[in-house]
């Protein structure tokens, strides 16, 4: 199971820290990612992190967000700073053994509960 939390309603320029609790998987060996889906848009990868800790970010959030993981706690995090109205979306976490799958959300058949992030201008 994948349970995202930490979303909320904030003003532009503020920060949020999202958390994802993973269970039922060997979390430490999985590449993990944060995704978001805005109304009327496709789900997209926001940030990814490999089992070894290498990270990558979508151009739209680069420099404003940081993805991290705690393998001891089976937790994934997304620190988001300087939020913009265009960041408004439902945020999800997901992952698997193949790093290459992170950029293809359709590869994942299961999606846990997301968390709503709303940024007002």
């Amino acid at each position: 199971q994948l349970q995202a939390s930490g979303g909320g309603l904030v003003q532009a320029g503020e920060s949020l820290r999202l958390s994802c609790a993973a269970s039922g998987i060997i979390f430490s060996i999985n590449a993990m990612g944060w995704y978001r889906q805005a109304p009327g848009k496709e789900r997209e990868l926001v940030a990814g992190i490999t089992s070894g800790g290498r990270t990558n970010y979508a151009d739209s959030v680069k420099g404003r967000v940081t993805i991290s993981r705690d393998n001891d706690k089976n937790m994934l995090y997304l620190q988001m700073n300087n939020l913009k109205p265009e960041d408004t979306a439902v945020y999800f976490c997901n992952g698997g053994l193949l790093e290459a799958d992170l950029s293809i959300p359709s590869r994942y058949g299961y999606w846990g509960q997301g968390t709503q992030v709303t940024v007002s201008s």
Side-chain angles (χ1 to χ4, degrees):
Q1 289 188 345
L2 300 166
Q3 179 76 38
S5 61
L9 172 63
V10 297
Q11 293 187 337
E14 294 185 339
S15 299
L16 281 173
R17 188 191 193 211
L18 306 184
S19 299
C20 170
S23 61
I25 62 174
I26 306 175
F27 180 78
S28 62
I29 66 173
N30 278 263
M32 297 296 298
W34 280 100
Y35 300 80
R36 68 185 180 189
Q37 187 166 21
K41 295 187 176 182
E42 293 187 352
R43 195 164 298 182
E44 62 175 354
L45 177 67
V46 176
I49 185 167
T50 67
S51 58
R54 187 173 71 252
T55 60
N56 66 282
Y57 300 94
D59 288 343
S60 58
V61 302
K62 200 169 291 183
R64 299 190 296 117
V65 308
T66 302
I67 187 171
S68 60
R69 64 192 299 163
D70 185 334
N71 289 337
D72 291 335
K73 296 181 179 179
N74 283 8
M75 293 291 294
L76 183 72
Y77 304 101
L78 188 70
Q79 177 67 43
M80 302 192 296
N81 301 322
N82 190 23
L83 282 161
K84 302 178 180 181
E86 50 264 43
D87 295 319
T88 295
V90 180
Y91 284 70
F92 302 85
C93 56
N94 217 328
L97 293 176
L98 299 180
E99 179 185 351
D101 285 350
L102 288 180
S103 60
I104 310 172
S106 61
R107 289 291 178 91
Y108 303 117
Y110 166 78
W111 289 88
Q113 182 176 339
T115 186
Q116 176 72 48
V117 172
T118 304
V119 185
S120 63
S121 57

